[in-house]
Amino acid sequence: MRMRFQTAVSLLYPPRCLGCGEIVDSDFGLCGTCWRDTPFIGGTVCESCGTPVPGKADGYRTECDDCMRTPRPWTDGRSALLYEGRAKRMILALKHGDRPEIARPASLWMARAARPLLRDHMLIAPVPLHWTRLLKRRYNQSALLAQALAQETGLAVCPDLLTRPKRTAALGGKTAQQRFDDLAGAIAVHPRRRHRLAARAILLVDDVMTTGATLAVSAEACLAAGASEVCVLTLARVAKRP
């Protein structure tokens, strides 16, 4: 009976490509064209932020120019996609287009990128939204990614480990220093969740890394509250083109 019901549903609502809406073989997938056009990150990457870098790994730590210029408070970082083209459109749909279902396949891509970061008993935590933005969007896209990632990896997740008591203006178009200045004091550890990160590795999750200012403030809050180390994982990275 259950199989018949699922067959009837699939006939009425066939699975569609997340990128273009074309019919595909399975739910939450991409068609061949969208898969080919989605800029997945591979090869040699910066170990601090996950952006692609030229050359081959040589056994020494590899970092991009931005991470060498601005040392990060976290240990390691990775990203699954470049924030451009089809990937950018999917992330904007997740963030502003009421497409929360994108978080499920995105978590699979993020889990693959995160393999070098994962530790036993690591705690996953999303970058928080201020309550006014959460009220407007109805969900925190980073929390959706964190929860889906926890299901994929088997790690624990604490959706409200961090809070955002200070509302900041939109950060788009601002310089790295302006972002850091605006975010000062904007993110803190939830006072009732401090015990969950004590002497524990934290994996911070966000949708996009641009300058890294939001992740840096979040990481610093975790470390100040007693986390043993912090790693970061984003769905996409804004990467500079040579």
Side-chain angles (χ1 to χ4, degrees), residues 13-224:
Y13 304 102
R16 302 261 176 192
C17 171
L18 291 170
C20 66
E22 289 294 319
I23 295 176
V24 292
D25 293 333
S26 59
D27 290 324
F28 310 110
L30 294 171
C31 68
T33 299
C34 288
W35 183 271
R36 185 188 65 235
D37 293 342
T38 300
F40 290 96
I41 293 176
T44 307
V45 299
C46 171
E47 294 179 55
S48 287
C49 72
T51 195
V53 294
K56 294 182 179 181
D58 57 6
Y60 295 93
R61 185 174 180 86
T62 302
E63 291 192 337
C64 66
D65 291 343
D66 284 347
C67 290
M68 286 192 289
R69 189 181 307 113
T70 306
R72 310 299 186 178
W74 59 81
T75 305
D76 293 299
R78 293 293 187 276
S79 294
L81 307 168
L82 291 176
Y83 189 61
E84 59 185 41
R86 196 170 296 279
K88 182 176 181 178
R89 291 194 291 273
M90 280 194 291
I91 292 169
L92 290 175
L94 168 65
K95 193 170 184 175
H96 301 295
D98 200 22
R99 296 283 307 279
E101 72 276 9
I102 292 174
R104 179 174 170 183
S107 71
L108 301 179
W109 308 333
M110 294 172 74
R112 284 196 291 267
R115 284 172 186 163
L117 312 181
L118 303 183
R119 282 84 157 127
D120 291 338
H121 308 300
M122 190 174 232
L123 180 66
I124 299 174
V127 168
L129 281 180
H130 189 265
W131 70 267
T132 55
R133 286 202 171 93
L134 184 60
L135 186 65
K136 181 178 180 180
R137 294 184 190 172
R138 296 185 296 112
Y139 59 83
N140 177 359
Q141 71 280 356
S142 298
L144 294 181
L145 293 170
Q147 290 169 327
L149 183 67
Q151 292 178 350
E152 181 63 24
T153 61
L155 295 173
V157 61
C158 186
D160 60 346
L161 181 71
L162 297 172
T163 64
R164 201 156 186 159
K166 174 184 171 184
R167 179 182 169 90
T168 56
L171 300 177
K174 294 189 176 183
T175 66
Q177 188 57 54
Q178 288 172 329
R179 287 170 181 249
F180 276 102
D181 292 342
D182 287 353
L183 286 164
I187 295 175
V189 173
H190 194 299
R192 296 183 181 178
R193 303 291 181 266
R194 293 175 68 95
H195 67 283
R196 297 203 61 181
L197 57 64
R200 194 171 186 179
I202 306 297
L203 181 63
L204 288 177
V205 171
D206 205 0
D207 55 348
V208 180
M209 176 177 172
T210 305
T211 65
T214 304
L215 287 163
V217 172
S218 300
E220 288 167 351
C222 290
L223 292 169

